[in-house]
Structures are given as C-alpha cells and as structure tokens.
Amino acid sequence: MRRLTRTVAAAALATALALVGGCSSDSDKSESSGGTGGALEKVTYLTSFGNFGRDSYAWVAKDKGFFKEAGFDVDIKPGQGTGSVIQTITGGQADFGPIDLTGGILQLGNGQAKDFVAVAAIQQRTMAAIVTVEGKNIATPKDLEGKKLADTPTSVVRNLFPTYARLAGIDNSKVTWVNGEAQGLIGMLGSGSVDGIGQFVVGQPTVEVVTKKKPVVLPYSNVMQDLYGNALITSTKIAKEKPEMVKKFTTALLKGLEYSLEHPDEAGEILKKNVPAANPAASAAELRLMAAYVRSSNSGTAIGTLDSGRVAKSIALLQGAGALKQNLTPDQIINFDLAPKA
C-alpha cells in the first residue's frame, strides 16, 4: 500500500486538496430541453464528504452533459458525512447523495435514521480507515490504544470504530476521540494535535502533502472484508413515487463515475473548474486509488451493483459485534428493484 501511495502522491505534491463549498456550473444552471424533450427536472445532489477527488464524478456527470441528457438540472452541494447526508435527504433538502453503506446500516439498525434506501453501490469495498503518519509509533491496530484520534461526529469511520476495535483486538475505552471539521482533519494530524484521523484510504496522497510525512494506514477492510463502501441513497418517498426518475439519475451518475475512473486527469480538471480551490493532480490521484474499490470481481460486470448475500453478511457481522440494536434484512436498506443488475 505504501508503494502505491508513493506512486500516486508524486502527482499531488503541489498543494493539498481543499475542502470547499460546492458551486454550480454556469453551463447547466438554466432549465432547457432534456433527453425527453421537456424541461429539465431540478435535482439537488450531495457529495459524500466535501469536494475531494473521490466525489468528482458527480461534477463530471454534470460537466459532460450526462445529467442533462437524462433530463436533469443538478445542483451539487458538499456533504458532511453519512449521518448528515441521510438527515438532509430524508428532511427533503436534497434528493440524492452517497453514504457509507455500513454507516447507513448502523443508523437504520440503531433507530438513528429511517426513510432512506440505497439504490447503487459506488465502491464495492469499504474505504474507511484510520490514518496516521510515521513517527506516531502506530503500526498495528493495537497501537491505537492510548492515542487521540479526530473525526467529525457523524463520520462512518468514527461510528464504526467500536466494531472495528472489537474485531481488531483494540480496547476501545483506551482510545480518545475529539471532534474536528472535515476540512481541518489533515491539518490537525499535521500539527501534531492528534495521533490519527478518520479518513478514507484514497486520502493518502493529500495526507502526505499536508503533513510532509509518510502516511500509515489501518484500513477497516483488513478485518471487515464483506463491507461495501459508499452507496447512492435517496428517500423512500422518492424511490416509491419516482422509480424511473431514480433509475435515470443513477445511470447518469454511474456514467460519470466510470468516465472519471477512465479519465482521472480530466476529472481532476473538471473538479478544479467547478471548485477553484481543488487541486486537480490530487483529485486524479484519489481516483486512481479509488478504482480498485469501485470494481470488484464479486460485483458482476456492471458498476454499481449490490448483492443481497453480501449485504446480509455485513448485517450479520455488525450484529455479531453487538453494533446493532434491531434486526435488519438487506431489502430494508437496499431497493434491489432500482439497483443496477449484475
């Protein structure tokens, strides 16, 4: 993993990728004729976590006209993690957004959220991880005991940590968590105020740029192999009342995802055009790392597919770890009728 990190991090040495508010592309603001010949349907989309390269595929779908061809005028706004994205969508302030699927299972199974469903996978494996840097004396999960970690309160990395700790042999009571804003987490690590941060594995290039040190990554997937990464969600109301609209939007978004993975440098430039503070090289580096998580041999040939058996295993793993208060079935969190078919 470190060799891969060194390879892609070279592309991101100029500056760190900034987390900034979203802004709409001027070319796609006004209503005009869509693919069906009518007015474009306005849709609000939340990214998963700010405007990092890992979320640039939505901007690509907008810039390349994939949304417009499908009949949508999409307003892209920066999300702030799984819990926040769910709340915003179920509250009616947004229509679609990606969340960490495991985080969604935890929210639903513990009565913290309801009225949402996943309709496509973005990543076939979880990218959640604890990231630190060399010099912190952290090489294994057990080394996290006695250390201070930072993340946003609603982050799936933080909320899934007790389960990760139990499976990895960590005494969770010996780990201290402090709150941090999304855009400030890597800076907190770089300043030495914390020993590690909640982060996705694709954030390694940016961590190395900001901290000027080699990242040390503890991926959750090492101990929880069946977990999906991000999944696209919508409200149960929209899924029920507008199933064809959901399918069309999902297809256009996944087209943007596939294009971004095939053209990471162009995707980085598109993000930069729409989010001026973004670093295109760092964005491209994130996408190159993310490609291995989007495509998986057990996901069939189509990007975005979700397997009921794997979701059931994820639920069973969380139940076995005592992380769920309620019993769940896969179809309570996934609408398989709307999800892409393998």
Side-chain angles (χ1 to χ4, degrees):
M1 180 174 288
R2 290 184 184 178
R3 184 179 303 164
L4 178 60
T5 300
R6 288 194 294 269
T7 300
V8 298
L13 292 179
T15 58
L17 178 63
L19 177 64
V20 298
C23 54
S24 299
S25 172
D26 289 339
S27 63
D28 203 15
K29 283 183 179 177
S30 61
E31 286 191 346
S32 59
S33 295
T36 60
L40 298 181
E41 182 171 3
K42 290 187 177 294
V43 167
T44 298
Y45 173 89
L46 298 177
T47 66
S48 67
F49 199 69
N51 280 312
F52 290 101
R54 71 202 70 161
D55 273 300
S56 60
Y57 56 89
W59 292 106
V60 169
K62 184 181 179 89
D63 189 88
K64 303 299 290 186
F66 302 153
F67 286 144
K68 194 172 184 178
E69 290 169 3
F72 301 110
D73 174 18
V74 180
D75 182 19
I76 303 173
K77 297 182 177 180
Q80 288 294 320
T82 293
S84 177
V85 170
I86 292 174
Q87 291 172 8
T88 306
I89 289 175
T90 58
Q93 289 82 43
D95 305 296
F96 295 94
I99 65 166
D100 187 279
L101 185 59
T102 305
I105 293 172
L106 290 172
Q107 293 257 321
L108 187 63
N110 291 318
Q112 297 167 324
K114 60 180 181 177
D115 300 330
F116 71 93
V117 289
V119 295
I122 303 300
Q123 293 112 22
Q124 293 292 324
R125 290 185 293 138
T126 180
M127 299 197 304
I130 301 298
V131 177
T132 181
V133 291
E134 290 183 348
K136 294 289 187 179
N137 297 318
I138 299 174
T140 69
K142 190 70 173 176
D143 297 330
L144 294 174
E145 293 179 2
K147 301 298 193 297
K148 183 188 293 185
L149 308 178
D151 204 347
T152 60
T154 61
S155 164
V156 68
V157 178
R158 184 168 178 173
N159 289 309
L160 188 55
F161 185 80
T163 302
Y164 170 73
R166 181 175 298 188
L167 296 173
I170 304 166
D171 185 343
N172 187 36
S173 68
K174 295 181 179 179
V175 180
T176 300
W177 284 92
V178 298
N179 293 336
E181 295 295 328
Q183 63 267 33
L185 291 175
I186 298 177
M188 292 175 72
L189 179 61
S191 71
S193 62
V194 295
D195 301 301
I197 58 175
Q199 182 62 263
F200 281 169
V201 294
V202 296
Q204 297 172 64
T206 304
V207 170
E208 186 164 3
V209 169
V210 173
T211 64
K212 305 296 191 295
K213 296 179 180 179
K214 295 294 183 183
V216 176
V217 182
L218 302 176
Y220 283 14
S221 60
N222 284 355
V223 297
M224 297 182 283
Q225 299 179 355
D226 284 317
L227 302 186
Y228 280 91
N230 279 353
L232 179 68
I233 69 163
T234 188
S235 67
T236 52
K237 184 177 187 293
I238 290 176
K240 181 180 180 179
E241 296 179 356
K242 299 182 177 182
E244 293 307 313
M245 173 266 207
V246 172
K247 289 180 181 179
K248 288 195 297 180
F249 181 87
T250 300
T251 298
L253 182 70
L254 294 180
K255 189 175 180 180
L257 175 61
E258 189 162 21
Y259 189 95
S260 298
L261 297 178
E262 293 173 352
H263 306 89
D265 292 322
E266 182 183 353
E269 293 296 338
I270 289 173
L271 181 63
K272 171 70 174 178
K273 182 172 71 173
N274 289 279
V275 183
N279 182 292
S283 299
E286 286 204 358
L287 287 168
R288 291 189 178 96
L289 277 174
M290 194 173 83
Y293 289 81
V294 172
R295 298 187 176 97
S296 178
S297 60
N298 61 7
S299 67
T301 57
I303 286 179
T305 57
L306 288 158
D307 179 79
S308 179
R310 279 191 62 201
V311 177
K313 288 181 180 179
S314 298
I315 293 172
L317 184 151
L318 296 173
Q319 288 175 329
L324 292 178
K325 296 177 181 178
Q326 304 172 16
N327 291 326
L328 291 179
T329 59
D331 58 6
Q332 286 179 270
I333 193 165
I334 311 291
N335 189 319
F336 291 102
D337 290 334
L338 301 181
K341 303 298 186 287

